[in-house]
Amino acid sequence: MKIVDLATASQRAEALCKENGLEILEQKDIPYGRQFKVRAGGTTAQLNVYFGKKGLKLVVQGGGGEAKSALESVTAAMEGRSAGSAASTSAPAKKDKKPLPDVEFAYEEPWIGTDESGKGDFFGGLVTAGVIVDPEAVPLLQSLGVDDSKKINDAKIQSMSTEIRKICYGKYKILSLVPSKYNDLYERMKGEGKNLNSLLAWAHVSVLESLLEIQYVKLAIADKFADEKYINTRLKKLGRTIELIQVPKAEQNIAVAAASILARDAFLRWHQDAKKQHGVTFPKGANAQVVQVGRTYVQSNGKEALRNVAKLHFKTTEEVFMYND
């Protein structure tokens, strides 16, 4: 049977479940898909079948046993591969020490993704965002095209952010540090012998703490900007127990990607407001154009005013002040 849509995929899944000796306990519609709860040999598992823009997506969930093994044979047949070969969308077994953070449909329970925007930009502060993603929300976010915000045109960020807020309603937090507040925090931490990683850790933990007040979850994923101890130590002091996974390019995870879009949207909004307030278009990054705009701004407003629009610890500050003495 050629699988061309969700109805065909669901029919094929139901037939293969029966062929593999599985008792279908329940099947129901889920966002953009169909879910099958099955039993075999005293064990249960479930199969989520999605069919969207990227084609067929199958997710096997369960702690192991005969039911899960049989479902893996079902997915192998549906994907046209031999039984026992690796499937990219199967959820990791509970015996695994850590789930794979870059697999979109990897989790059976809600989890948190956090990310920040503005870290590498001279103008503007720092925005850190976090999102609790329920498994049921994953296909909605995927259908929206949620991805690392750096891969998305700024013009699309605002509308995508609005949709993410609807999908994850009440389960997101955004911490915006305007430049003056950012500079105050950085200077204070530097005086305590700390560095930028400490500030980033503080921001991520603050967002995590706020989200855990909304709903307790067991897992959080963030980009690897520092040793995990920076965040774990703070969480322990706060009495929070949560498994934190930090990996390079964490935005591959859909929760982290959603957080990156929310953070980017807030950062872009600051730029829009700053343009209205100061009559200046502050460029992003830390390049020659940034230096030139910084010099012009200082000439018109004075050196002290720069701390209200830029991160003063950047080497760019020295270049801006070079011809303004």
Side-chain angles (χ1 to χ4, degrees):
M1 178 186 294
K2 184 177 180 180
I3 299 177
V4 295
D5 52 32
L6 179 59
T8 304
S10 299
Q11 292 172 7
R12 179 64 170 155
E14 182 176 359
L16 285 169
C17 282
K18 294 177 181 178
E19 289 179 18
N20 282 272
L22 287 163
E23 177 188 358
I24 300 177
L25 300 176
E26 179 187 18
Q27 55 174 300
K28 62 181 181 179
D29 291 329
I30 56 177
Y32 294 89
R34 185 87 173 157
Q35 183 181 85
F36 295 83
K37 185 175 181 180
V38 300
R39 177 169 59 196
T43 63
T44 60
Q46 67 184 34
L47 171 65
N48 293 337
V49 180
Y50 303 94
F51 200 97
K53 295 178 180 179
K54 296 183 179 180
L56 181 65
K57 196 84 167 180
L58 304 171
V59 183
V60 175
Q61 296 177 317
E66 187 175 334
K68 185 175 181 182
S69 296
L71 277 183
E72 288 172 347
S73 295
V74 170
T75 61
M78 292 184 69
E79 293 174 345
R81 54 184 174 81
S82 59
S85 60
S88 61
T89 55
S90 292
K94 291 183 179 179
K95 65 180 181 179
D96 292 342
K97 291 184 179 180
K98 287 186 178 182
L100 297 175
D102 59 344
V103 179
E104 286 186 349
F105 293 96
Y107 312 114
E108 300 175 34
E109 300 178 2
W111 78 99
I112 292 173
T114 65
D115 202 16
E116 76 283 326
S117 183
K119 181 175 64 175
D121 295 278
F122 179 63
F123 289 118
L126 179 75
V127 181
T128 307
V131 181
I132 298 174
V133 171
D134 297 310
E136 294 78 10
V138 170
L140 296 173
L141 294 171
Q142 185 189 46
S143 176
L144 184 62
V146 169
D147 201 346
D148 180 1
S149 62
K150 291 187 288 294
K151 299 179 181 179
I152 301 173
N153 188 291
D154 284 351
K156 297 181 180 179
I157 289 291
Q158 184 173 350
S159 61
M160 291 190 71
S161 176
T162 299
E163 293 303 313
I164 291 170
R165 290 166 187 258
K166 293 178 182 177
I167 294 170
C168 302
Y169 182 76
K171 293 187 177 184
Y172 62 86
K173 285 293 179 180
I174 301 170
L175 174 63
S176 297
L177 294 177
V178 296
S180 58
K181 179 65 173 178
Y182 175 94
N183 289 319
D184 289 344
L185 278 171
Y186 182 86
E187 290 162 7
R188 189 185 75 190
M189 290 186 175
K190 186 177 180 181
E192 297 172 354
K194 299 176 182 178
N195 56 22
L196 178 59
N197 281 334
S198 300
L199 193 156
L200 291 171
W202 174 86
H204 280 258
V205 170
S206 297
V207 169
L208 283 170
E209 179 71 2
S210 296
L211 289 172
L212 290 171
E213 292 293 338
I214 297 172
Q215 178 181 346
Y216 175 72
V217 301
K218 300 176 182 177
L219 174 68
I221 300 173
D223 203 34
K224 193 169 183 61
F225 58 82
D227 192 296
E228 291 180 18
K229 68 181 181 181
Y230 281 96
I231 297 180
N232 284 328
T233 299
R234 172 74 184 274
L235 287 172
K236 288 179 181 178
K237 287 182 179 179
L238 294 171
R240 295 295 187 180
T241 55
I242 183 171
E243 182 180 14
L244 171 69
I245 296 177
Q246 285 187 265
V247 292
K249 300 181 180 180
E251 294 87 354
Q252 294 178 65
N253 181 271
I254 202 160
V256 179
S260 76
I261 291 172
L262 293 183
R264 185 66 177 174
D265 176 53
F267 183 71
L268 293 175
R269 287 176 186 273
W270 178 89
H271 274 267
Q272 293 170 0
D273 292 341
K275 181 179 180 180
K276 293 177 182 178
Q277 180 180 353
H278 302 284
V280 178
T281 298
F282 294 105
K284 302 175 187 67
N287 50 37
Q289 182 186 7
V290 168
V291 173
Q292 184 57 53
V293 171
R295 289 174 179 170
T296 302
Y297 181 80
V298 167
Q299 288 170 359
S300 300
N301 300 277
K303 288 185 177 181
E304 285 302 315
L306 190 64
R307 72 180 297 105
N308 297 320
V309 296
K311 301 178 183 71
L312 297 184
H313 68 87
F314 274 42
K315 291 183 179 180
T316 310
T317 302
E318 298 177 12
E319 298 180 60
V320 170
F321 287 163
M322 192 177 297
Y323 298 107
N324 284 285
D325 292 324

